[in-house]
PDB file of all heavy atoms in Angstrom:
ATOM      1  N   VAL A 262     -47.700 -14.407 -17.655  1.00  0.00           N
ATOM      2  CA  VAL A 262     -48.228 -13.082 -17.366  1.00  0.00           C
ATOM      3  C   VAL A 262     -48.643 -12.441 -18.687  1.00  0.00           C
ATOM      4  O   VAL A 262     -47.849 -12.428 -19.651  1.00  0.00           O
ATOM      5  CB  VAL A 262     -47.193 -12.200 -16.647  1.00  0.00           C
ATOM      6  CG1 VAL A 262     -47.827 -10.875 -16.240  1.00  0.00           C
ATOM      7  CG2 VAL A 262     -46.631 -12.909 -15.432  1.00  0.00           C
ATOM      8  N   SER A 263     -49.840 -11.910 -18.742  1.00  0.00           N
ATOM      9  CA  SER A 263     -50.339 -11.244 -19.951  1.00  0.00           C
ATOM     10  C   SER A 263     -50.758  -9.824 -19.605  1.00  0.00           C
ATOM     11  O   SER A 263     -51.263  -9.566 -18.506  1.00  0.00           O
ATOM     12  CB  SER A 263     -51.522 -12.017 -20.549  1.00  0.00           C
ATOM     13  OG  SER A 263     -52.607 -12.058 -19.636  1.00  0.00           O
ATOM     14  N   SER A 264     -50.536  -8.902 -20.534  1.00  0.00           N
ATOM     15  CA  SER A 264     -50.987  -7.516 -20.361  1.00  0.00           C
ATOM     16  C   SER A 264     -51.993  -7.188 -21.447  1.00  0.00           C
ATOM     17  O   SER A 264     -51.944  -7.750 -22.553  1.00  0.00           O
ATOM     18  CB  SER A 264     -49.798  -6.553 -20.428  1.00  0.00           C
ATOM     19  OG  SER A 264     -49.207  -6.554 -21.711  1.00  0.00           O
ATOM     20  N   HIS A 265     -52.868  -6.207 -21.145  1.00  0.00           N
ATOM     21  CA  HIS A 265     -54.026  -5.996 -22.017  1.00  0.00           C
ATOM     22  C   HIS A 265     -54.234  -4.514 -22.320  1.00  0.00           C
ATOM     23  O   HIS A 265     -53.620  -3.637 -21.698  1.00  0.00           O
ATOM     24  CB  HIS A 265     -55.265  -6.605 -21.366  1.00  0.00           C
ATOM     25  CG  HIS A 265     -55.105  -8.063 -21.062  1.00  0.00           C
ATOM     26  ND1 HIS A 265     -55.342  -9.044 -21.988  1.00  0.00           N
ATOM     27  CD2 HIS A 265     -54.696  -8.703 -19.936  1.00  0.00           C
ATOM     28  CE1 HIS A 265     -55.098 -10.238 -21.452  1.00  0.00           C
ATOM     29  NE2 HIS A 265     -54.706 -10.047 -20.197  1.00  0.00           N
ATOM     30  N   SER A 266     -55.145  -4.262 -23.229  1.00  0.00           N
ATOM     31  CA  SER A 266     -55.365  -2.909 -23.733  1.00  0.00           C
ATOM     32  C   SER A 266     -56.101  -2.019 -22.748  1.00  0.00           C
ATOM     33  O   SER A 266     -56.127  -0.798 -22.932  1.00  0.00           O
ATOM     34  CB  SER A 266     -56.150  -2.973 -25.050  1.00  0.00           C
ATOM     35  OG  SER A 266     -57.421  -3.571 -24.833  1.00  0.00           O
ATOM     36  N   ASP A 267     -56.720  -2.588 -21.719  1.00  0.00           N
ATOM     37  CA  ASP A 267     -57.455  -1.781 -20.752  1.00  0.00           C
ATOM     38  C   ASP A 267     -56.610  -1.380 -19.555  1.00  0.00           C
ATOM     39  O   ASP A 267     -57.133  -0.892 -18.550  1.00  0.00           O
ATOM     40  CB  ASP A 267     -58.706  -2.522 -20.275  1.00  0.00           C
ATOM     41  CG  ASP A 267     -58.357  -3.825 -19.540  1.00  0.00           C
ATOM     42  OD1 ASP A 267     -57.197  -4.277 -19.650  1.00  0.00           O
ATOM     43  OD2 ASP A 267     -59.256  -4.383 -18.869  1.00  0.00           O
ATOM     44  N   GLY A 268     -55.269  -1.593 -19.628  1.00  0.00           N
ATOM     45  CA  GLY A 268     -54.378  -1.228 -18.535  1.00  0.00           C
ATOM     46  C   GLY A 268     -54.283  -2.274 -17.451  1.00  0.00           C
ATOM     47  O   GLY A 268     -53.805  -1.971 -16.352  1.00  0.00           O
ATOM     48  N   SER A 269     -54.692  -3.502 -17.718  1.00  0.00           N
ATOM     49  CA  SER A 269     -54.636  -4.573 -16.730  1.00  0.00           C
ATOM     50  C   SER A 269     -53.610  -5.614 -17.137  1.00  0.00           C
ATOM     51  O   SER A 269     -53.198  -5.684 -18.301  1.00  0.00           O
ATOM     52  CB  SER A 269     -56.002  -5.237 -16.577  1.00  0.00           C
ATOM     53  OG  SER A 269     -56.352  -5.907 -17.778  1.00  0.00           O
ATOM     54  N   TYR A 270     -53.196  -6.413 -16.153  1.00  0.00           N
ATOM     55  CA  TYR A 270     -52.374  -7.577 -16.437  1.00  0.00           C
ATOM     56  C   TYR A 270     -52.905  -8.740 -15.618  1.00  0.00           C
ATOM     57  O   TYR A 270     -53.576  -8.553 -14.584  1.00  0.00           O
ATOM     58  CB  TYR A 270     -50.892  -7.324 -16.172  1.00  0.00           C
ATOM     59  CG  TYR A 270     -50.535  -7.012 -14.738  1.00  0.00           C
ATOM     60  CD1 TYR A 270     -50.303  -8.036 -13.815  1.00  0.00           C
ATOM     61  CD2 TYR A 270     -50.390  -5.699 -14.319  1.00  0.00           C
ATOM     62  CE1 TYR A 270     -49.963  -7.751 -12.502  1.00  0.00           C
ATOM     63  CE2 TYR A 270     -50.055  -5.406 -13.001  1.00  0.00           C
ATOM     64  CZ  TYR A 270     -49.836  -6.436 -12.101  1.00  0.00           C
ATOM     65  OH  TYR A 270     -49.502  -6.151 -10.802  1.00  0.00           O
ATOM     66  N   ALA A 271     -52.590  -9.960 -16.083  1.00  0.00           N
ATOM     67  CA  ALA A 271     -53.147 -11.162 -15.454  1.00  0.00           C
ATOM     68  C   ALA A 271     -52.078 -12.232 -15.364  1.00  0.00           C
ATOM     69  O   ALA A 271     -51.208 -12.334 -16.234  1.00  0.00           O
ATOM     70  CB  ALA A 271     -54.353 -11.670 -16.248  1.00  0.00           C
ATOM     71  N   PHE A 272     -52.159 -13.046 -14.298  1.00  0.00           N
ATOM     72  CA  PHE A 272     -51.285 -14.202 -14.107  1.00  0.00           C
ATOM     73  C   PHE A 272     -52.083 -15.470 -14.389  1.00  0.00           C
ATOM     74  O   PHE A 272     -53.189 -15.652 -13.872  1.00  0.00           O
ATOM     75  CB  PHE A 272     -50.742 -14.241 -12.668  1.00  0.00           C
ATOM     76  CG  PHE A 272     -49.654 -13.231 -12.402  1.00  0.00           C
ATOM     77  CD1 PHE A 272     -49.969 -11.927 -12.071  1.00  0.00           C
ATOM     78  CD2 PHE A 272     -48.316 -13.587 -12.486  1.00  0.00           C
ATOM     79  CE1 PHE A 272     -48.986 -11.001 -11.816  1.00  0.00           C
ATOM     80  CE2 PHE A 272     -47.319 -12.656 -12.238  1.00  0.00           C
ATOM     81  CZ  PHE A 272     -47.637 -11.357 -11.906  1.00  0.00           C
ATOM     82  N   TRP A 273     -51.503 -16.344 -15.187  1.00  0.00           N
ATOM     83  CA  TRP A 273     -52.116 -17.625 -15.521  1.00  0.00           C
ATOM     84  C   TRP A 273     -51.179 -18.736 -15.047  1.00  0.00           C
ATOM     85  O   TRP A 273     -49.960 -18.583 -15.101  1.00  0.00           O
ATOM     86  CB  TRP A 273     -52.351 -17.767 -17.028  1.00  0.00           C
ATOM     87  CG  TRP A 273     -53.133 -16.652 -17.648  1.00  0.00           C
ATOM     88  CD1 TRP A 273     -52.674 -15.431 -18.005  1.00  0.00           C
ATOM     89  CD2 TRP A 273     -54.515 -16.669 -17.981  1.00  0.00           C
ATOM     90  NE1 TRP A 273     -53.663 -14.667 -18.553  1.00  0.00           N
ATOM     91  CE2 TRP A 273     -54.825 -15.402 -18.557  1.00  0.00           C
ATOM     92  CE3 TRP A 273     -55.549 -17.619 -17.861  1.00  0.00           C
ATOM     93  CZ2 TRP A 273     -56.105 -15.082 -18.996  1.00  0.00           C
ATOM     94  CZ3 TRP A 273     -56.817 -17.291 -18.309  1.00  0.00           C
ATOM     95  CH2 TRP A 273     -57.086 -16.030 -18.867  1.00  0.00           C
ATOM     96  N   THR A 274     -51.762 -19.830 -14.604  1.00  0.00           N
ATOM     97  CA  THR A 274     -50.968 -20.949 -14.095  1.00  0.00           C
ATOM     98  C   THR A 274     -51.242 -22.184 -14.923  1.00  0.00           C
ATOM     99  O   THR A 274     -52.405 -22.532 -15.186  1.00  0.00           O
ATOM    100  CB  THR A 274     -51.293 -21.229 -12.623  1.00  0.00           C
ATOM    101  OG1 THR A 274     -51.061 -20.043 -11.860  1.00  0.00           O
ATOM    102  CG2 THR A 274     -50.410 -22.342 -12.083  1.00  0.00           C
ATOM    103  N   MET A 275     -50.168 -22.867 -15.336  1.00  0.00           N
ATOM    104  CA  MET A 275     -50.291 -24.140 -16.063  1.00  0.00           C
ATOM    105  C   MET A 275     -50.302 -25.273 -15.042  1.00  0.00           C
ATOM    106  O   MET A 275     -49.272 -25.872 -14.728  1.00  0.00           O
ATOM    107  CB  MET A 275     -49.128 -24.310 -17.038  1.00  0.00           C
ATOM    108  CG  MET A 275     -49.186 -23.405 -18.244  1.00  0.00           C
ATOM    109  SD  MET A 275     -47.892 -23.781 -19.430  1.00  0.00           S
ATOM    110  CE  MET A 275     -48.287 -25.471 -19.864  1.00  0.00           C
ATOM    111  N   ASP A 276     -51.478 -25.545 -14.483  1.00  0.00           N
ATOM    112  CA  ASP A 276     -51.559 -26.615 -13.490  1.00  0.00           C
ATOM    113  C   ASP A 276     -51.909 -27.920 -14.183  1.00  0.00           C
ATOM    114  O   ASP A 276     -52.248 -27.965 -15.364  1.00  0.00           O
ATOM    115  CB  ASP A 276     -52.596 -26.286 -12.413  1.00  0.00           C
ATOM    116  CG  ASP A 276     -53.936 -25.874 -13.002  1.00  0.00           C
ATOM    117  OD1 ASP A 276     -54.149 -26.152 -14.201  1.00  0.00           O
ATOM    118  OD2 ASP A 276     -54.757 -25.273 -12.286  1.00  0.00           O
ATOM    119  N   ALA A 277     -51.856 -28.965 -13.418  1.00  0.00           N
ATOM    120  CA  ALA A 277     -52.150 -30.295 -13.974  1.00  0.00           C
ATOM    121  C   ALA A 277     -53.629 -30.619 -13.967  1.00  0.00           C
ATOM    122  O   ALA A 277     -54.038 -31.726 -14.273  1.00  0.00           O
ATOM    123  CB  ALA A 277     -51.388 -31.356 -13.168  1.00  0.00           C
ATOM    124  N   GLY A 278     -54.447 -29.633 -13.601  1.00  0.00           N
ATOM    125  CA  GLY A 278     -55.884 -29.890 -13.508  1.00  0.00           C
ATOM    126  C   GLY A 278     -56.537 -30.124 -14.851  1.00  0.00           C
ATOM    127  O   GLY A 278     -57.608 -30.711 -14.928  1.00  0.00           O
ATOM    128  N   GLY A 279     -55.941 -29.682 -15.925  1.00  0.00           N
ATOM    129  CA  GLY A 279     -56.540 -29.881 -17.231  1.00  0.00           C
ATOM    130  C   GLY A 279     -55.928 -28.942 -18.244  1.00  0.00           C
ATOM    131  O   GLY A 279     -55.215 -27.987 -17.893  1.00  0.00           O
ATOM    132  N   PRO A 280     -56.201 -29.167 -19.509  1.00  0.00           N
ATOM    133  CA  PRO A 280     -55.584 -28.346 -20.556  1.00  0.00           C
ATOM    134  C   PRO A 280     -56.301 -27.026 -20.793  1.00  0.00           C
ATOM    135  O   PRO A 280     -55.940 -26.292 -21.715  1.00  0.00           O
ATOM    136  CB  PRO A 280     -55.708 -29.241 -21.793  1.00  0.00           C
ATOM    137  CG  PRO A 280     -56.945 -30.053 -21.534  1.00  0.00           C
ATOM    138  CD  PRO A 280     -57.007 -30.279 -20.058  1.00  0.00           C
ATOM    139  N   LEU A 281     -57.304 -26.709 -19.986  1.00  0.00           N
ATOM    140  CA  LEU A 281     -58.093 -25.512 -20.224  1.00  0.00           C
ATOM    141  C   LEU A 281     -58.134 -24.654 -18.970  1.00  0.00           C
ATOM    142  O   LEU A 281     -58.471 -25.140 -17.894  1.00  0.00           O
ATOM    143  CB  LEU A 281     -59.511 -25.884 -20.658  1.00  0.00           C
ATOM    144  CG  LEU A 281     -60.457 -24.718 -20.977  1.00  0.00           C
ATOM    145  CD1 LEU A 281     -59.963 -23.943 -22.188  1.00  0.00           C
ATOM    146  CD2 LEU A 281     -61.878 -25.239 -21.212  1.00  0.00           C
ATOM    147  N   SER A 282     -57.766 -23.359 -19.112  1.00  0.00           N
ATOM    148  CA  SER A 282     -57.862 -22.402 -18.012  1.00  0.00           C
ATOM    149  C   SER A 282     -58.852 -21.331 -18.409  1.00  0.00           C
ATOM    150  O   SER A 282     -58.651 -20.607 -19.394  1.00  0.00           O
ATOM    151  CB  SER A 282     -56.493 -21.768 -17.715  1.00  0.00           C
ATOM    152  OG  SER A 282     -55.573 -22.757 -17.293  1.00  0.00           O
ATOM    153  N   LEU A 283     -59.949 -21.227 -17.657  1.00  0.00           N
ATOM    154  CA  LEU A 283     -60.999 -20.290 -18.001  1.00  0.00           C
ATOM    155  C   LEU A 283     -60.738 -18.898 -17.446  1.00  0.00           C
ATOM    156  O   LEU A 283     -61.135 -17.902 -18.055  1.00  0.00           O
ATOM    157  CB  LEU A 283     -62.346 -20.806 -17.479  1.00  0.00           C
ATOM    158  CG  LEU A 283     -62.795 -22.158 -18.021  1.00  0.00           C
ATOM    159  CD1 LEU A 283     -64.113 -22.577 -17.369  1.00  0.00           C
ATOM    160  CD2 LEU A 283     -62.946 -22.103 -19.529  1.00  0.00           C
TER     161      LEU A 283
END
Side-chain angles (χ1 to χ4, degrees):
V262 186
S263 62
S264 65
H265 303 275
S266 62
D267 63 345
S269 66
Y270 63 85
F272 285 84
W273 306 80
T274 303
M275 288 186 61
D276 50 17
L281 181 65
S282 297
L283 300 177

